[in-house]
Amino acid sequence: MSKLAPSILSADFSRLAEQIALIEQGGADYVHMDVMDGAFVPNITFGGPVVKSVAGRTSLPFDVHLMIERPELRIPDFVTPQTEFIVVHQEACVHLHRVIQQIKDLGVKAGVALNPATPVSTLEYVLPYLDLVLVMSVNPGFGGQKFIPFAMDKIALLADIRKKKGLDYVIEIDGGVNLSNAAAIKNAGCDILVAGSAVFGAADVPERVREFQAILK
Ligand code: DX5
Ligand code: ZN
């Protein structure tokens, strides 16, 4: 069984709590929060104050995806009682092992994201310390982009390494996920599927979450 983390990037920010209530109603597993700084990626979304204001308005755990430079300066801003994962980008961290430790010392599970062009091998030495690996299946910065097929190879490789080395990180995919490719992604060994436009673009959001969950169960 795989899990669904709808991304609020495609939600109506003017009524964020209501939008999150819709995915909770449909049975989503996490709220995926895309934090963008206009530097690491060409777009700006929101920061710690928004994440903190949503905490307590839902019982869903938070999966915080930091698409920001120097994340080590900001990580504490995203720690709330509901923050389960904080995910930083491999490409944004000069001292990746130290940043992973920083997240864990705050009592939060640590994840690292890989841009499409970044090989899995860059994580070789830190995989034993990770709770989650996020495979980007689009170049980060925007919702609604097309799924890059070679992300599937990375999922399979990460699942294979996990088995061979007896590790226990969860594998997440983000970008271009929809009802048509969800089954194949799950079958490749992915544990958490992020979906933004495919969830919040639906006329009936709770029903769309249920449609995903029927595929992922
Ligand atoms: C992209 C973000 C994604 C985005 C996915 O930079 O990290 O989480 O919301 O959006 P869709 O599902 O529309 O590709
Ligand atoms: Zn994301």
Side-chain angles (χ1 to χ4, degrees):
M1 182 177 157
S2 302
K3 293 184 169 175
L4 182 69
S7 164
I8 56 169
L9 182 63
S10 296
D12 178 350
F13 285 0
S14 70
R15 44 192 193 99
L16 199 46
E18 292 165 40
Q19 297 266 280
I20 293 173
L22 291 179
I23 59 169
E24 186 166 7
Q25 200 185 315
D29 298 290
Y30 297 96
V31 185
H32 183 84
M33 299 187 160
D34 287 308
V35 177
M36 302 185 185
D37 66 354
F40 181 71
V41 289
N43 199 7
I44 299 177
T45 53
F46 52 82
V50 170
V51 174
K52 286 197 165 131
S53 73
V54 173
R57 301 290 299 272
T58 171
S59 57
L60 292 177
F62 296 170
D63 170 32
V64 181
H65 179 192
L66 298 182
M67 286 161 277
I68 63 175
E69 290 181 352
R70 307 286 313 268
E72 66 276 9
L73 303 178
R74 297 278 168 215
I75 283 165
D77 298 355
F78 301 98
V79 179
T80 75
Q82 278 162 268
T83 306
E84 180 157 337
F85 296 107
I86 291 181
V87 183
V88 294
H89 266 262
Q90 185 275 351
E91 305 84 3
C93 298
V94 176
H95 304 291
L96 184 60
H97 177 259
R98 180 186 285 153
V99 178
I100 293 166
Q101 220 49 61
Q102 182 190 1
I103 297 170
K104 291 179 145 186
D105 287 347
L106 290 164
V108 176
K109 292 180 185 168
V112 172
L114 296 174
N115 280 338
T118 306
V120 168
S121 58
T122 58
L123 299 183
E124 180 178 357
Y125 292 100
V126 296
L127 281 179
Y129 303 95
L130 288 180
D131 299 298
L132 179 147
V133 179
L134 170 52
V135 174
M136 290 305 302
S137 39
V138 297
N139 288 289
F142 305 95
Q145 301 181 78
K146 198 166 173 287
F147 186 87
I148 297 174
F150 64 70
M152 296 291 254
D153 302 344
K154 286 189 184 176
I155 296 285
L157 178 58
L158 281 161
D160 191 47
I161 294 171
R162 179 172 60 186
K163 195 171 171 197
K164 283 191 179 134
K165 296 197 171 177
L167 299 174
D168 59 3
Y169 50 80
V170 297
I171 304 169
E172 180 174 49
I173 201 155
D174 184 4
V177 173
N178 54 46
L179 289 176
S180 309
N181 57 20
I185 294 167
K186 178 196 168 200
N187 293 337
C190 187
D191 305 295
I192 305 177
L193 285 75
V194 176
S197 50
V199 170
F200 286 103
D204 185 339
V205 171
E207 179 55 23
R208 179 55 55 86
V209 171
R210 285 190 282 273
E211 287 171 328
F212 267 106
Q213 295 292 32
I215 295 168
L216 301 180
K217 72 171 192 273

